Structures are given as C-alpha cells and as structure tokens.
C-alpha cells in the first residue's frame, strides 16, 4: 500500500508570552471537536462520528482500512467495522478512547492542525494505540475534521478492534 507522507508540525515552535483571544478560542474549539469524535465513537454512533467531518472530509486509517472520503462513506465504513466486531463474538464491551498530549496549531480563525496520542481500551484491556494527525476547519458553524489521519503504533494480541488482532 502506498504510504502518504504525513506533514508534521514542529513541537519546538517558538513560545511567546500571551495569545490572541482568537487563538485561545481556536484551541478550545479544536479540543471540543476531538472530544465529540471520541464520545460518538465510544458510543458506537457511526453517523455521529461522520458528522464530526466536513462534507468532503477524509478519515485515513491507513493499513487498518484505507482512506474514506465524505460523511456517507465514513459512516458506512465505521458501521461495517462495528458489524465485524459484533460478528466476532459478544462485542468489545465498553470502548473507551483516551486522547492525550493534544497539540493544537491555529492557522487562522477557522482553520487549525492538531496532533495527539490515543489509547483504546475494550474488554481485553488496552486494545490498540497510536497517533492522530488532524486538519480541522469551520463548516456549518462548527469545527470539523477536514482530514483525520490515524496511525496505529501497536495493538494487543487479542485486540477486538484491530482486524487480525486475535491470536
């Protein structure tokens, strides 16, 4: 599979005392968008997750399933993952995404980039973990993902969420 180059932001951007009010608003709005995605995903609400994206937004899950473009495809693909997991047994039990080290880089009053780490817990315990690389923008009056790139760093041998995780 062709690997896309992920444009990384520098964590060593020069620190400056104080922020403009719009920068604070952007940072908090992006954190809110990330939280809305996680709560919808943990609840198994594929359509709600898809609403976290712009109309032509992209969810790139790489080797886990490719690139999904547009809300309809994102919702359809996430529902298919949920069906696969459910068909494999009793389901994953509670699913909990934990997102940390969120670094938000405002670009303007209505565009930003973010990157963060995630860990997902299911009935097996720590199921899988990795990184998010996000491009967000305002559409329809709210912050949404224009692109979310998910890169898996690892998964447990008995992962309920990663295809091929069972040993």
């Amino acid at each position: 599979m062709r690997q896309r180059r992920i444009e990384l932001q520098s964590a060593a951007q020069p620190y400056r005392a104080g922020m403009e009010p719009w920068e604070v608003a952007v940072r908090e709005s992006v954190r809110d968008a990330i939280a809305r995605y996680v709560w919808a995903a943990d609840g198994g609400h594929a359509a709600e997750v898809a609403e976290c994206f712009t109309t032509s937004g992209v969810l790139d899950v790489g080797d886990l399933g490719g690139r999904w473009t547009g809300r309809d495809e994102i919702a359809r693909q996430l529902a298919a993952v949920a069906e696969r997991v459910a068909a494999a047994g009793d389901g994953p039990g509670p699913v909990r995404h934990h997102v940390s080290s969120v670094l938000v880089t405002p670009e303007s009053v209505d565009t930003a980039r973010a990157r963060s780490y995630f860990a997902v817990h299911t009935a097996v315990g720590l199921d899988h973990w990795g990184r998010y690389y996000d491009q967000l923008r305002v559409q329809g009056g709210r912050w949404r993902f224009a692109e979310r790139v998910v890169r898996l760093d690892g998964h447990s041998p008995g992962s309920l969420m990663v295809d091929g995780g069972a040993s």
Side-chain angles (χ1 to χ4, degrees):
M1 171 177 277
R2 180 179 68 94
Q3 290 290 339
R4 283 189 66 230
R5 182 175 170 269
I6 298 173
E7 185 177 315
L8 298 178
Q9 309 157 54
S10 172
Q13 292 175 346
Y15 175 79
R16 61 183 172 81
M19 271 185 246
E20 296 294 322
W22 71 268
E23 291 174 290
V24 176
V26 167
R27 289 173 194 275
E28 195 54 30
S29 296
V30 167
R31 284 183 179 88
D32 182 71
I34 291 168
R36 288 179 186 284
Y37 173 97
V38 167
W39 279 91
D42 286 353
H45 306 292
E48 225 175 282
V49 172
E51 282 297 314
C52 292
F53 289 81
T54 61
T55 52
S56 60
V58 174
L59 178 55
D60 180 342
V61 295
D63 293 340
L64 297 174
R67 285 175 62 83
W68 309 330
T69 303
R71 290 180 187 154
D72 290 342
E73 183 178 6
I74 290 168
R76 187 174 56 257
Q77 293 287 355
L78 290 174
V81 170
E83 288 174 20
R84 176 184 55 78
V85 170
D90 293 334
V95 176
R96 300 292 181 259
H97 285 74
H98 301 279
V99 180
S100 67
S101 303
V102 179
L103 179 63
V104 179
T105 305
E107 296 180 330
S108 72
V109 296
D110 58 5
T111 60
R113 292 180 182 267
R115 59 183 166 152
S116 53
Y117 298 113
F118 69 86
V120 178
H121 290 81
T122 65
V124 301
L126 181 57
D127 193 279
H128 61 283
W129 56 94
R131 295 158 284 141
Y132 292 132
Y133 299 97
D134 301 322
Q135 295 177 40
L136 299 99
R137 71 171 196 242
V138 175
Q139 184 180 74
R142 78 181 238 211
W143 282 85
R144 300 174 194 270
F145 297 96
E147 182 178 47
R148 168 159 265 199
V149 176
V150 180
R151 288 300 174 257
L152 199 65
D153 289 335
H155 63 83
S156 296
S159 172
L160 301 174
M161 303 296 289
V162 176
D163 196 19
S167 43

